[in-house]
Amino acid sequence: MKPRVFVSRHFPGEGIALLKKSCDVRIGVMKGTCPRKKLLQGAKWADAIVTLLTDKVDAEVYDQNPRLKIVANYAVGFDNIDLAEATKRGVLVTNTPGAQTESVAEHAIGLMMVLGKRIREADAFMRAGKYKGWDPDLLLGTEFDGKVCGVIGVGRIGSIFVKFAKALGMSIIYNDVVRSPDIEQKYDAKPVDINTLLKQCDVISIHVPLMPSTRHLINAGHLKLMKKTAFLINTSRGPVIDETALVSALKRRQIGGAGLDVYEFEPKLVPGLAKLDNVVLTPHIASATWEARDSMSRIAAQCVLAAFKGEVPEALVNKDVLQKNPWIKTGA
Ligand code: GLV
Ligand code: GLV
């Protein structure tokens, strides 16, 4: 019998075709979010499930099926997955690191550019037929060269963002739970505490995973420390910023603007956010490039196939699960 893979929702890229070569694959839904009931049924039937960041994967899911070997999350973030419960049951959890690094860092730069160059307002202005001739006062924006860029979280995505910002002539300071000698050497980036970073920066871009310690990492008090002209960019996870506090800071022009791809109560926005003219909003599409989606798709599939072969998937997140897994070759 072929191994069974349940994919909660169809996604672009070659991964599903790769799985179909050697596995029995069922797709939960072609569009939209997989209903909970379908996800549970899928978990019951399958040896592996491939999930999206919109699927909540918890004890109830694992308990459908003691044979469940692996949950491969089609995302770099895995805050939708209860890792401890997976580990307890010997279920491997994988993500897709590296697949979306450039796409997400480029998107963050894009949000920053749209804010600084006022592209959103300028585009609306043109479409409204308001352009009557060159005007030296029209839509004045910001130059980034020579400004200070603060990066919170310098993992894969954060360090590529640092590289881009440096190429724009910005000087770099960063905050992370671990030092990164690599970006300190390559880009002359200085590690600072979060308050110093918020006070000194013209642009702040967030690249941390969502965990209990990063929930509301940016709160009302932090927003008060920021320069009146500073831009806050978030392409990580919404709950990292207290969005209600952010809306209030933006309303009072306490900060210069915000470029957001993720939201605290996604897909809902905190009331008032979409009315502000000093924000740029995109619908969680920082990793939505053909390149990233294909790579995410292949990595997710390869993780499943590796697990079926009894190998350790490269993108294993809950590494401590290996002690619990008699069927996996730990290589040790
Ligand atoms: C997207 O947000 C991801 O985590 O890959
Ligand atoms: C994700 O790829 C990260 O480590 O930033």
Side-chain angles (χ1 to χ4, degrees), residues 45-66:
W45 169 81
D47 304 294
I49 57 175
V50 183
T51 51
L52 269 55
L53 57 92
T54 40
D55 298 314
K56 189 171 161 53
V57 185
D58 53 14
E60 190 188 12
V61 174
Y62 311 126
D63 286 343
Q64 298 305 307
N65 177 1

Side-chain angles (χ1 to χ4, degrees), residues 2-5 14-25 47-50 69-72 92 94 297-314 327-329:
K2 285 181 179 177
R4 295 166 165 182
V5 184
E14 277 307 299
I16 295 179
L18 278 175
L19 289 170
K20 282 185 176 164
K21 282 188 191 161
S22 57
C23 312
D24 190 356
V25 178
D47 304 294
I49 57 175
V50 183
K69 280 194 162 67
I70 171 169
V71 176
L92 311 187
T94 60
S297 160
R298 286 172 193 272
I299 294 175
Q302 279 153 6
C303 287
V304 169
L305 296 173
F308 286 161
K309 278 192 239 153
E311 292 164 5
V312 180
E314 236 176 85
W327 56 269
I328 204 129
K329 299 173 205 144

Side-chain angles (χ1 to χ4, degrees), residues 53 74-77 100 236-237 284 287 296:
L53 57 92
Y74 178 79
V76 67
Q100 49 287 77
S236 64
R237 284 291 181 268
H284 205 149
S287 65
M296 289 161 73

Side-chain angles (χ1 to χ4, degrees), residues 120 246-253 272-281:
R120 193 187 62 78
L246 177 64
V247 168
S248 138
L250 286 162
K251 255 189 205 155
R252 286 184 278 120
R253 306 272 157 183
L273 181 60
K275 293 209 175 77
L276 298 166
D277 60 3
N278 49 354
V279 296
V280 176
L281 310 172

Side-chain angles (χ1 to χ4, degrees), residues 109-121 144 279-280:
I109 291 284
L111 292 172
M112 166 181 135
M113 285 294 171
V114 172
L115 282 172
K117 311 300 158 187
R118 303 182 60 181
I119 292 171
R120 193 187 62 78
E121 296 149 274
F144 293 107
V279 296
V280 176

Side-chain angles (χ1 to χ4, degrees), residues 76 95-101 153-159 207-209:
V76 67
N95 67 341
T96 62
Q100 49 287 77
T101 307
V154 287
R156 291 182 197 81
I157 299 171
S159 11
H207 301 284
V208 294

